[in-house]
């Protein structure tokens, strides 16, 4: 009987969440606890593995909690450089969102979400300058490496962009390119497959995303700050802030800052040290240290 009662309560909760999503989220936030039991500013546990694929030059798998999982694979090919940047190679990321990861996506051309996430990932990698494009040059003006970083979302329960960014960086850290012996053109390069060289990653940039949810208590506006959004929360937040953290020793470690949406940011809940943005940056810095340790430990194995 006790088991039947628990099942009935779960069903009632699921129905209430489906019919009244705003009230469902607001009640949790007012209690300072989220549906999965996390605190408002708490990130999900992260697991990471590199070198998971036998094909490709580098690969990684990242999982956030039990719900979000992505893989990343680096495919390297020799190509011609742009005429105005003869010493620079290319990094071309993409994110695939198929029905496999969520029923909201369909087969066919990349969805708007996939294109938007791929664009953000490209900006993140470009602005981080973690991998100098000059390091991908084989012969100036003749041939360079083009690295295609293909991210596939296996399960999407929120914050796919952060998971994709972490997987992309881990896969690049795992990437090994064949040693080039001779190169006359992009079509005529002789490589020693038995000799490989690791990419010249300068550091490990980390992306962290925070959501802002506006609510009203006794007709007074109140804003809740949520770290590492689940899919249900993503559908309801008023705005999101994306923060890219480098490894500089001072305040210059923030290299990427994007804000999408509109939030009142009034009477923000759970803030104990400074303004909203500073709080997000501090939390992102702390989280970045944890994730960098994971990546480095995985790359050593």
């Amino acid at each position: 009987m006790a088991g039947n009662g628990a099942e009935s309560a779960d069903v009632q909760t699921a129905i209430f969440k489906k019919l009244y999503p705003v009230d469902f989220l607001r009640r949790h936030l007012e209690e300072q606890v989220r549906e999965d039991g996390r605190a408002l500013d708490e990130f999900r546990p992260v697991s990471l593995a590199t070198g998971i694929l036998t094909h490709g030059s580098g690969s990684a798998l990242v999982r956030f909690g039990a719900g979000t999982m992505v893989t990343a694979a680096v495919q390297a090919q020799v190509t011609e450089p742009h005429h105005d940047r003869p010493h620079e190679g290319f990094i071309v990321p993409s994110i695939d969102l198929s029905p496999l990861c969520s029923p909201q996506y369909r087969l066919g051309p990349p969805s708007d979400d996939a294109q938007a996430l791929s664009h953000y990932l490209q900006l993140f990698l470009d602005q981080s300058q973690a991998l100098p494009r000059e390091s991908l040059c084989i012969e100036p003006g003749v041939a360079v490496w083009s690295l295609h970083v293909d991210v596939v979302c296996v399960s999407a329960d929120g914050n796919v962009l952060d998971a994709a960014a972490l997987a992309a960086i881990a896969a690049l850290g795992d990437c090994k390119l064949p040693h080039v012996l001779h190169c006359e053109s992009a079509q005529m390069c002789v490589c020693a497959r038995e000799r490989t060289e690791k990419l010249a990653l300068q550091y490990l940039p980390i992306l962290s995303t925070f959501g802002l949810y506006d609510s009203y208590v006794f007709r007074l506006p109140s804003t809740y700050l949520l770290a590492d959004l689940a899919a249900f929360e993503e559908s309801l937040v008023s705005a999101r802030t994306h923060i890219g953290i480098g490894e500089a020793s001072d305040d210059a470690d923030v290299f990427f800052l994007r804000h999408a949406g509109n939030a009142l940011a009034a009477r923000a809940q759970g803030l104990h040290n400074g303004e909203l943005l500073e709080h997000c940056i501090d939390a992102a810095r702390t989280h970045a240290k944890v994730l960098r340790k994971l990546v480095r430990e995985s790359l050593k194995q």
Side-chain angles (χ1 to χ4, degrees), residues 39-296:
L40 303 192
D41 59 353
E42 183 179 351
F43 292 84
R44 285 172 288 185
V46 177
S47 58
L48 182 147
T50 53
I52 61 166
L53 302 177
T54 56
H55 62 280
S57 302
S59 59
L61 181 147
V62 168
R63 189 165 191 165
F64 285 2
T68 294
M69 181 167 63
V70 303
T71 64
V74 180
Q75 301 288 344
Q77 65 181 46
V78 178
T79 188
E80 296 179 359
H82 283 312
H83 68 277
D84 56 341
R85 295 183 177 179
H87 296 80
E88 297 184 11
F90 305 95
I91 300 178
V92 186
S94 66
I95 299 178
D96 178 61
L97 300 173
S98 72
L100 173 68
C101 71
S102 173
Q104 74 179 90
Y105 301 116
R106 298 288 182 267
L107 292 173
S111 64
D112 291 343
D113 284 352
Q115 294 183 58
L117 291 177
S118 298
H119 175 67
Y120 267 98
L121 182 56
Q122 181 79 71
L123 291 176
F124 170 77
L125 294 174
D126 288 346
Q127 294 183 22
S128 73
Q129 297 183 348
L131 180 62
R133 300 303 188 269
E134 294 82 1
S135 68
L136 300 177
C137 181
I138 299 173
E139 189 68 32
V142 177
V144 296
W145 287 108
S146 179
L147 305 181
H148 293 261
V149 185
D150 301 320
V151 179
V152 176
C153 184
V154 180
S155 177
D157 186 20
N159 209 11
V160 171
L161 180 59
D162 287 7
L166 182 60
I169 290 299
L172 288 170
D174 181 58
C175 182
K176 298 179 181 66
L177 300 178
H179 178 72
V180 178
L181 298 174
H182 178 71
C183 188
E184 294 184 5
S185 68
Q187 292 74 35
M188 297 183 63
C189 273
V190 179
C191 298
R193 292 287 176 180
E194 68 279 1
R195 292 175 57 189
T196 59
E197 301 169 349
K198 298 199 70 172
L199 293 181
L201 276 179
Q202 303 298 297
Y203 68 97
L204 301 175
I206 301 296
L207 182 65
S208 295
T209 298
F210 300 85
L212 296 172
Y213 177 77
D214 287 334
S215 182
Y216 288 84
V217 180
F218 301 112
R219 297 186 179 181
L220 294 176
S222 182
T223 301
Y224 294 89
L225 175 67
L226 304 175
D228 185 14
L229 298 168
F232 173 70
E233 296 166 340
E234 281 185 337
S235 67
L236 296 174
V237 293
S238 311
R240 300 181 209 179
T241 297
H242 309 278
I243 302 174
I245 300 292
E247 293 190 75
S249 57
D250 52 24
D251 291 341
D253 60 348
V254 179
F255 67 86
F256 184 83
L257 185 60
R258 291 289 185 276
H259 185 79
N262 295 292
L264 299 173
R267 297 177 60 225
Q269 303 292 314
L271 300 185
H272 304 291
N273 39 339
E275 298 295 330
L276 182 65
L277 184 56
E278 270 104 28
H279 178 81
C280 290
I281 291 174
D282 287 343
R285 284 173 176 150
T286 301
H287 189 53
K289 292 178 181 178
V290 175
L291 297 188
R292 284 196 194 100
K293 183 179 179 181
L294 279 177
V295 175
R296 290 193 173 109

